[in-house]
Amino acid sequence: MDIQANLKTIYAELPAGVRLVAVSKFHPKEALMEAYRAGQRIFGESRVQEMTEKHDALPDDIQWHFIGHLQTNKIKYMAPYVAMIHGVDSYKLLVEIDKQAARCGRVIPCLLQLHIAREETKFGFSFDECNDMLADGGWRSLTHVSLHGVMGMASNTDDTEQVQREFRSLHDYFLEAKERFFADYPAFSEISMGMSHDYPIALREGATMVRIGTKIFGERV
Ligand SMILES: *Cc1c(COP(=O)(O)O)cnc(C)c1O
């Protein structure tokens, strides 16, 4: 794997303003350093312990994005340093992140995960559940989390039209939520969608952040 060449190929494809989260889960620190030397500064991890070990060993100017499924009891380990949490799919988690962030004197940027795929197994709010949570308004009093946008994963299928519809539904939801709940929140601006096999479609559908692992680092072992 030529990590630096893979990154350069992807950078050349990203429209201005779109950020790359290099998904480095299960890959060794040497691989991350290779990407770091090519200029990559945002890394995505899906297990808190693994992310924390890498955070402790690697340069300070790396921004660590947590993209995995959240467990309440693990939030405290990443609260001191995590740059963004992508997978918030319940109000209870938001409250817990707020509590742990407060203990560290931080405000943690979070994305709301929406369930856009056909597969039942994927996590995330339904659009209705998310609207109910936002309409309830309790989140407005959580001063140590900041809602920066939405995140979603498309179905794992070769049907590109299906994938496109799912990404479009996330973009549409983002616009609706922005107008209804975040008109006075300029920070609510991110649409995190697209992985190695479907990011070109996500870019066409308005992703502001793509999360790419395999295409940079090779298969996970
Ligand atoms: C693993 C993972 C990715 C990256 O997947 P690749 O197919 O390796 O690009 C992106 N997003 C999430 C939520 C993941 O868990």
Side-chain angles (χ1 to χ4, degrees), residues 3 11 82 136-137:
I3 292 170
Y11 290 153
V82 69
D136 178 69

Side-chain angles (χ1 to χ4, degrees), residues 23 25 67 151 153 195-197 211-214 220:
V23 177
K25 60 190 185 195
I67 62 167
M151 177 269 204
M153 289 169 88
M195 306 165 43
S196 290
H197 63 284
R211 309 176 309 268
I212 302 178
T214 311
R220 289 178 282 275

Side-chain angles (χ1 to χ4, degrees), residues 112-117 125 127 130 149-154 163-177 188 190-194 202 205-207 209 211:
L112 300 169
Q113 182 170 2
L114 277 302
H115 185 280
I116 57 171
F125 286 107
F127 296 133
C130 200
V150 297
M151 177 269 204
M153 289 169 88
V163 170
Q164 180 171 14
R165 275 195 297 275
E166 291 172 1
F167 285 148
R168 189 165 294 175
S169 74
L170 186 61
H171 190 167
D172 288 346
Y173 180 75
F174 166 81
L175 294 174
E176 179 194 325
F188 191 85
E190 302 285 358
I191 306 173
S192 166
M193 60 184 185
E205 293 304 326
M209 251 188 235
R211 309 176 309 268

